Amino acid sequence: MPSGTAWLHEIKHDGYRLIVQRDGNRVRLFTRKGHDWSTRFPLIAEAALRNRCQRFVIDGEAMLLGIDVRSDFNGLHSRRHDNEVQLYAFDILALEGDDLRKLPLHLRKTNLARILARRIDGIFLSDFEQGEIGPDLYRQACLMGLEGLVSKRVMDALS
């Protein structure tokens, strides 16, 4: 597990990776394989429409929170709770027509936090920690039975 100020650490949520794309009044939700799930998760789509920004592309994890406030993959996979599924956003790829993928991760996270500052049910900022805390967070994630952690270099841009 990397540590140091060059790294940030995020909880690995047990859900479906999802790209949320908003262009004016149109919202589309795409899976990694390119499937359009725009109607499958209405809470996420509605939250994207309620955001004050008109054009953005957000990367995140669609997940269902269980009664223990941890991700419930079996409930998510069952499709019985599609109207309760929320997005835990961890990156922003484009904002108001600007491609942000070449920016360092910490600047993309700043932009993401800014547009999600007004909390709207359906899309949440995925928490992260930076620095030496990585190994301790990993141990805690294991003790809590979480999916794991993802560590990323703060200055990396997407390729």
Side-chain angles (χ1 to χ4, degrees):
M1 176 64 45
S3 65
T5 57
W7 294 91
L8 65 82
H9 315 281
E10 303 167 326
I11 293 172
K12 167 73 175 87
H13 297 289
D14 198 5
Y16 296 132
R17 184 81 173 265
L18 203 63
I19 295 287
V20 177
Q21 180 180 44
R22 178 176 177 191
D23 188 5
N25 291 328
R26 184 174 189 198
V27 172
R28 297 181 71 194
L29 312 177
F30 293 105
T31 68
R32 272 191 150 156
K33 294 185 179 184
H35 300 290
D36 186 345
W37 284 0
S38 301
T39 58
R40 181 169 176 179
F41 301 132
L43 192 58
I44 296 172
E46 290 165 13
L49 284 172
R50 288 193 313 268
N51 192 287
R52 68 185 180 276
C53 295
Q54 294 293 305
R55 296 173 64 202
F56 55 79
V57 179
I58 293 176
D59 193 359
E61 193 82 6
M63 59 178 272
L64 177 68
L65 285 179
I67 57 172
D68 58 359
V69 195
R70 290 191 293 189
S71 57
D72 177 3
F73 187 76
N74 290 333
L76 175 66
H77 189 67
S78 75
R79 305 230 24 215
R80 291 189 309 248
H81 308 280
D82 283 355
N83 60 336
E84 300 170 41
V85 173
Q86 303 179 66
L87 185 84
Y88 280 71
F90 50 78
D91 205 350
I92 186 163
L93 310 178
L95 179 60
E96 301 299 6
D98 294 326
D99 185 346
L100 304 181
R101 293 175 293 176
K102 297 294 183 191
L103 292 178
L105 179 61
H106 74 280
L107 292 178
R108 295 193 317 269
K109 293 262 188 204
T110 299
N111 278 292
L112 181 62
R114 185 174 48 82
I115 75 160
L116 296 179
R118 199 185 66 161
R119 193 172 173 128
I120 299 171
D121 284 348
I123 300 178
F124 300 98
L125 182 64
S126 187
D127 292 329
F128 66 92
E129 297 290 336
Q130 187 174 340
E132 301 292 335
I133 196 168
D136 292 334
L137 273 177
Y138 179 73
R139 280 190 287 283
Q140 286 301 316
C142 290
L143 289 172
M144 294 173 65
L146 298 177
E147 182 78 5
L149 290 183
V150 176
S151 297
K152 301 174 183 176
R153 286 189 159 290
V154 172
M155 295 303 292
D156 282 354
L158 293 175
S159 50

